[in-house]
Amino acid sequence: SQKIEQNSEALNIQEGKTATLTCNYTNYSPAYLQWYRQDPGRGPVFLLLIRENEKEKRKERLKVTFDTTLKQSLFHITASQPADSATYLCALSNTGNQFYFGTGTSLTVIP
Amino acid sequence: DAGVIQSPRHEVTEMGQEVTLRCKPISGHDYLFWYRQTMMRGLELLIYFNNNVPIDDSGMPEDRFSAKMPNASFSTLKIQPSEPRDSAVYFCASSPRDRAYNEQFFGPGTRLTVL
């Protein structure tokens, strides 16, 4: 079955720096990859979708890359702010209907 | 729109009792998903519906779990009988038809504790 791994440890960075989160997968060939943000006690909130034929996608301070050869997606937050502190989840799908989620990476931006 | 609505927000019950979780998706959304989230296993897809029809329930852990969607505005997830290992946060999410490849809108979740 598919395996999706995100940074196993929490990530702490200084305000203003770029945060880079990793999503690696095996036994899978997703056509779609999403990133979500989840705050404590709340449901995940969609951030970005990238398709297998897209190498990179940007939205404001967010940038996502999708390397199907390395089986990896990188999620960047530039000029990070304390308000960016949350857990970030990647989700993969080969049909676009069912998405399988990673366990998430906890990000803390230190003022 | 109020977003996806789930009830109850918290449920504490004893082992062996029946538990029913409820979800109201966003109006006009044709897809509805039920997920379970735990620290150990993360966010797991249990079942999803398209136009009120169950499409894939392969994530439902065992026969104790069942889900229904009697109409476009309501779905239930039932656990009978409940066990302590069912303790988790259960999320409902919906997605509009033409954007099924895109975002899912999650509800606030139901935190279930089975004693």
Side-chain angles (χ1 to χ4, degrees), chain B residues 24-37:
Chain B
K24 177 179 169 55
I26 294 173
S27 177
H29 284 193
D30 293 312
Y31 287 83
L32 184 139
F33 306 83
W34 281 102
Y35 290 90
R36 176 173 69 176
Q37 188 173 41

Side-chain angles (χ1 to χ4, degrees), chain B residues 39-66:
Chain B
M39 288 292 293
M40 290 297 296
R41 300 173 68 91
L43 195 63
E44 301 174 279
L45 176 64
L46 301 176
I47 185 173
Y48 82 94
F49 295 82
N50 180 19
N51 291 325
N52 313 338
V53 176
I55 302 302
D56 189 334
D57 65 354
S58 60
M60 297 285 260
E62 43 196 279
D63 292 345
R64 298 184 296 107
F65 285 69
S66 63

Side-chain angles (χ1 to χ4, degrees), chain A residues 35-108:
Chain A
W35 282 89
Y36 286 78
R37 168 186 173 138
Q38 186 173 23
D39 291 287
R42 294 179 176 267
V45 175
F46 173 84
L47 297 174
L48 282 167
L49 167 79
I50 187 167
R51 294 178 172 82
E52 61 178 340
N53 60 346
E54 299 174 315
K55 297 298 182 186
E56 182 181 296
K57 196 157 236 190
R58 293 174 185 261
K59 178 182 177 182
E60 298 173 353
R61 295 184 296 112
L62 308 180
K63 184 178 87 170
V64 172
T65 62
F66 191 7
D67 190 324
T68 56
T69 300
L70 292 178
K71 294 185 179 296
Q72 179 182 78
S73 174
L74 298 179
F75 176 79
H76 306 273
I77 305 175
T78 58
S80 60
Q81 305 166 0
D84 295 327
S85 298
T87 295
Y88 291 86
L89 304 165
C90 66
L92 284 63
S93 174
N94 57 9
T95 65
N97 294 329
Q98 294 162 274
F99 279 85
Y100 297 97
F101 282 79
T103 52
T105 298
S106 175
L107 172 68
T108 301

